[in-house]
């Protein structure tokens, strides 16, 4: 089989790495890919949002399966277009991808499907939103409706901050049309976890729980990033509670989308918060999380190609989705300055030495191949991931590996996994 993976992050490197382990795979392409996907297969210079070019390439090379890494191509209709051409695509159609592409759509679906989520209102007019915020008071959460590169959510601590966020999004259009509409919702408090499930339109198969670290600084301080590290399992959501949780947050969505005639096929990611009053869904993503994907795929002990095909063909119960009993933990190495501006083109050394350690894999994100070597090309550069007997060993191994990898002005959080370790006592 020939597989095309769309995207260029650490998640896509992990997808290529895992897919390549399937005996069914003969060729892997990544569009546009990175330094890591170039090791697993062949990079093709097509951007992830260039749907016509992706379709042309898939037809030209007679690709047997397209795997969408990020949400943007799905929201733009990649899956629909490929399906029309008779090319299997892992990832939901554009309608279902709105679960991530539109916060207003997503919240409305959650409400209608009976999924626990914060009370909310949707606004198209600045004045009405502002009046509502003044009436409700702070803290309050403002969310741009559309895709805003992970920056569209403001947890406002004061009414002024909330009004300012509304002004930036709705009047000044800092996210373009993504801010034409906003969701204003009640603030929740608690620990977060990510819970992902493979879906075939009717059935689901859960992956183990995981936890991301969104803030740039240790102790969850400083601005938010795409994610500075992740681990699995997350002790806050133990294995005994997976099925019950899936029945609360995955099943209702599958049922709802099927009733709309838009069955959800792909991986569904529920962003959960465990509040004192119980579990609430903060958001859905229509893809693997990055960096959650890296530890999750290291733990996946089944053939990912078989799982993806079963999702597309509506026969998920026929395949095995098994997780290794070990824990996995990934630490992101970022370029100095990230998430603000940072330099590129720094030479990276030590990847092979790190991977020589037992149970360690270095997934590349913002990297490129340059003169045979690997250089940085983004803010999140690598995700150094390790398996271990339990979280503590996974953490120890991951940080031993981190110490072997170098590039100028690299930084990382030293507390990845600590929340989970604390909970384990
Ligand atoms: P979202 O994209 O909706 O997951 O929001 C991004 C982040 O904003 C989440 O991971 C939370 O940390 C935070 N967040 C979103 N909604 C709320 C809420 N209702 N209360 C508190 N924090 C929130
Ligand atoms: N790690 C969070 C996300 O991928 O959205």
């Amino acid at each position: 089989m020939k597989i095309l993976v769309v995207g260029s992050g650490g998640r896509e490197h992990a997808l290529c790495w895992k897919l390549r382990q399937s005996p069914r795979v003969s060729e892997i392409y990544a569009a546009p890919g990175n330094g890591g996907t170039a090791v697993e297969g062949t990079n093709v210079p097509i951007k992830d949002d260039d749907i016509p070019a992706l379709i042309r390439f898939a037809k030209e090379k007679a690709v047997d399966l397209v795997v969408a890494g990020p949400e943007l191509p799905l929201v733009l209709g990649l899956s629909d277009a490929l399906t029309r051409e008779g090319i299997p695509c892992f990832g939901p159609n554009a309608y279902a991808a709105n679960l991530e592409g539109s916060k207003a759509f997503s919240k409305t679906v959650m409400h209608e499907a009976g999924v626990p989520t914060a009370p909310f209102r949707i606004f198209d007019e600045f004045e009405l939103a502002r009046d509502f915020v003044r009436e409700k008071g702070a803290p309050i959460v403002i969310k741009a409706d559309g895709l805003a590169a992970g920056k569209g959510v403001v947890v406002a601590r004061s009414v002024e901050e909330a009004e300012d966020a509304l002004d930036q999004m709705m009047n000044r259009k800092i996210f373009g049309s993504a801010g034409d509409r906003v969701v204003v919702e009640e603030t929740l408090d608690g620990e977060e976890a990510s819970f992902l499930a493979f879906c075939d339109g009717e059935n689901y198969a859960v992956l183990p729980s995981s936890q991301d670290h969104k803030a740039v600084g240790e102790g969850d301080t400083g601005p938010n990033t795409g994610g500075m590290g992740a681990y699995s399992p997350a002790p806050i959501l133990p294995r005994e509670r997976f099925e019950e949780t899936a029945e609360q947050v995955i099943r209702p969505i599958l049922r709802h989308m099927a009733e709309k005639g838009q069955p959800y096929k792909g991986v569904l990611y529920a962003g959960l918060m465990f509040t004192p009053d119980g579990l609430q869904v903060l958001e859905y993503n229509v893809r693997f999380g990055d960096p959650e994907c890296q530890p999750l795929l290291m733990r996946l002990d089944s053939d990912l190609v078989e799982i993806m095909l079963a999702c597309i063909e509506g026969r998920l119960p026929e395949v095995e989705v098994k997780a290794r009993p070990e824990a996995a933990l990934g630490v992101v190495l970022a370029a100095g300055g990230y998430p603000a501006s940072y330099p590129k083109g720094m030479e990276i050394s030590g990847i092979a030495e790190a991977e020589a350690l037992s149970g360690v894999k270095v997934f590349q994100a913002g990297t490129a191949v340059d003169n045979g070597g690997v250089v940085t090309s983004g803010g999140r550069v690598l995700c150094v991931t390790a398996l271990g007997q339990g979280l503590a060993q996974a953490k120890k191994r991951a940080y031993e590996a981190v110490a072997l990898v170098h590039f100028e002005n690299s930084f990382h959080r030293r507390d990845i996994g600590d929340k989970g370790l604390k909970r384990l006592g």
Side-chain angles (χ1 to χ4, degrees), residues 103 118 141 143 153 155 185-188 192 214 282-283:
K103 301 258 186 218
V141 181
K143 299 183 171 184
V153 176
V155 182
E185 72 178 40
E186 224 169 76
T187 311
L188 303 171
E192 290 179 42
K214 287 197 174 113
L282 295 176
E283 63 165 345

Side-chain angles (χ1 to χ4, degrees), residues 335-413:
Y338 175 79
S341 63
Y342 49 82
K344 295 180 184 177
M346 281 99 67
E347 222 169 281
I348 305 170
S349 65
I351 291 178
E353 289 79 355
E355 290 190 332
L357 299 181
S358 162
V360 171
K361 176 72 195 166
V362 178
F363 293 111
Q364 301 185 31
T367 71
V369 181
D370 184 53
N371 277 330
V374 185
V375 300
T376 74
S377 67
R380 289 195 292 171
V381 176
L382 304 169
C383 183
V384 179
T385 312
L387 282 170
Q389 306 293 335
L391 208 49
Q393 193 188 51
K395 180 182 177 190
K396 185 164 171 286
R397 283 185 172 172
Y399 280 99
E400 278 167 12
V402 164
L404 299 173
V405 181
H406 301 281
F407 59 90
E408 211 180 305
N409 285 329
S410 124
F411 77 94
H412 59 270
R413 279 180 62 162

Side-chain angles (χ1 to χ4, degrees), residues 28-149:
I28 298 216
Y29 301 104
N34 60 30
T37 61
V39 175
E40 314 294 341
T42 309
N43 287 351
V44 280
I46 303 174
K47 285 211 198 126
D48 66 0
D49 62 353
D50 190 346
I51 309 298
L54 292 169
I55 306 282
R56 264 198 312 275
F57 179 83
K59 282 168 74 175
E60 193 185 297
K61 295 286 182 193
V63 163
D64 301 291
L65 171 66
V66 176
V67 177
E71 63 282 7
L72 184 59
L74 293 168
V75 171
L76 294 176
L78 176 65
S79 193
D80 313 63
L82 285 165
T83 305
R84 278 196 298 275
E85 297 288 347
I87 303 170
C89 175
F90 181 79
N93 65 21
Y95 180 90
N98 268 326
L99 283 170
E100 177 165 4
S102 163
K103 301 258 186 218
F105 174 85
S106 184
K107 291 289 292 192
T108 305
V109 168
M110 285 188 235
H111 178 67
E112 288 175 5
V115 170
T117 191
F120 67 102
R121 287 274 298 272
I122 297 165
F123 294 97
D124 294 303
E125 283 177 51
F126 171 76
E127 285 76 16
L128 295 178
R130 184 199 55 199
D131 291 350
F132 181 71
V133 159
R134 285 183 181 167
E135 181 196 321
K136 286 285 167 187
I140 196 157
V141 181
I142 313 291
K143 299 183 171 184
D145 177 48
L147 294 179

